[in-house]
Amino acid sequence: MILAFFVGIIAGFIASIPVAGPVAVLVLRNALEGKWRDAFMIAGGSAAAESISAALAFVGVAALTQRFPLVVSVSHVFSAIALLGVGIYLVRKRVTRASEQRAGKSNPHKILLGFSLTAFNPTLIVSWATVITTLHANSLVPSRALDAVPFAIGVLGGILGWFWVFVSLVRHFRDRFRESTMTRLVHVLGWALVIGGIAMGIKTAIVLSHAA
């Protein structure tokens, strides 16, 4: 169980490094504005949802998505909508450095936002199933279902650990950039999410049309 916990920490940390998804970009935007608590709440909600996906993958739930491919297609529809929604939101917003008083206030609903953006993506279970299969193949983690709990807790800790490092880096370097530069960065990432959402939507529509 201890081994599963520590392997989960490493896996969660590494899996969170790519700053490509809507959660990571939202965390970045809030961090750039000095809203540290909101950034951590979004990250925490997402980490909780992803750790659940990791636990389900560990006990073999991913096999269900292979038996029912329509579930994956439907999840892609939700993912495409999420990418478009978050992308459009970011493109329309301007990054401003919040005052310490304003930055200190937090919105508890950010936890739900981070959780929902990740929870409505069942394909994460498939992704974690691939990771877990690789770990099993290399005898890096036990295959007992009981180890799913410590593994998931480790994943939660690893994800939170990465976002703590990420937000700390943004906090350290953000004062070196002008607000206009930070705004352009967020807008570019927002457009990337919009394009990704459109591409995913088109691909899903093609798959569903062939399945019909």
Side-chain angles (χ1 to χ4, degrees):
M1 294 181 71
I2 295 177
L3 177 61
F5 172 73
F6 283 108
V7 172
I9 290 177
I10 296 172
F13 188 93
I14 295 175
S16 303
I17 291 177
V19 187
V23 171
V25 180
L26 284 174
V27 170
L28 173 62
R29 179 182 179 272
N30 280 272
L32 287 173
E33 292 194 334
K35 300 175 183 177
W36 320 117
R37 294 180 183 175
D38 283 352
F40 278 120
M41 285 183 176
I42 294 172
S46 175
E50 189 155 357
S51 65
I52 293 173
S53 294
L56 293 174
F58 200 103
V59 297
V61 174
L64 292 177
T65 61
Q66 296 174 356
R67 292 182 57 187
F68 304 100
L70 183 60
V71 174
V72 177
S73 297
V74 172
S75 73
H76 284 165
V77 172
F78 283 108
S79 296
I81 294 173
L83 289 172
L84 283 170
V86 174
I88 293 172
Y89 168 78
L90 293 171
V91 168
R92 293 169 57 88
K93 290 294 181 178
R94 181 174 181 272
V95 176
T96 57
R97 287 193 180 92
S99 64
E100 288 300 319
Q101 181 179 3
R102 181 184 167 198
K105 297 180 180 179
S106 59
N107 183 357
H109 292 94
K110 298 291 184 179
I111 296 177
L112 181 60
L113 173 62
F115 186 91
S116 59
L117 284 174
T118 302
F120 288 107
N121 185 10
T123 53
L124 278 175
I125 300 178
V126 179
S127 299
W128 275 107
T130 302
V131 172
I132 292 167
T133 300
T134 302
L135 293 173
H136 287 335
N138 291 277
S139 300
L140 294 175
V141 67
S143 58
R144 299 172 303 178
L146 186 63
D147 289 299
V149 174
F151 180 79
I153 294 174
V155 169
L156 174 65
I159 295 173
L160 291 177
W162 160 249
F163 276 115
W164 179 83
V165 172
F166 179 59
V167 173
S168 296
L169 289 172
V170 174
R171 187 172 189 173
H172 180 73
F173 290 105
R174 78 182 186 111
D175 290 335
R176 301 185 183 185
F177 300 96
R178 293 178 297 180
E179 289 185 353
S180 58
T181 301
M182 294 190 294
T183 298
R184 282 195 293 271
L185 172 62
V186 171
H187 284 179
V188 168
L189 293 174
W191 279 116
L193 294 180
V194 169
I195 294 172
I198 294 174
M200 182 176 290
I202 293 174
K203 181 179 179 180
T204 303
I206 294 173
V207 171
L208 290 175
S209 64
H210 287 169

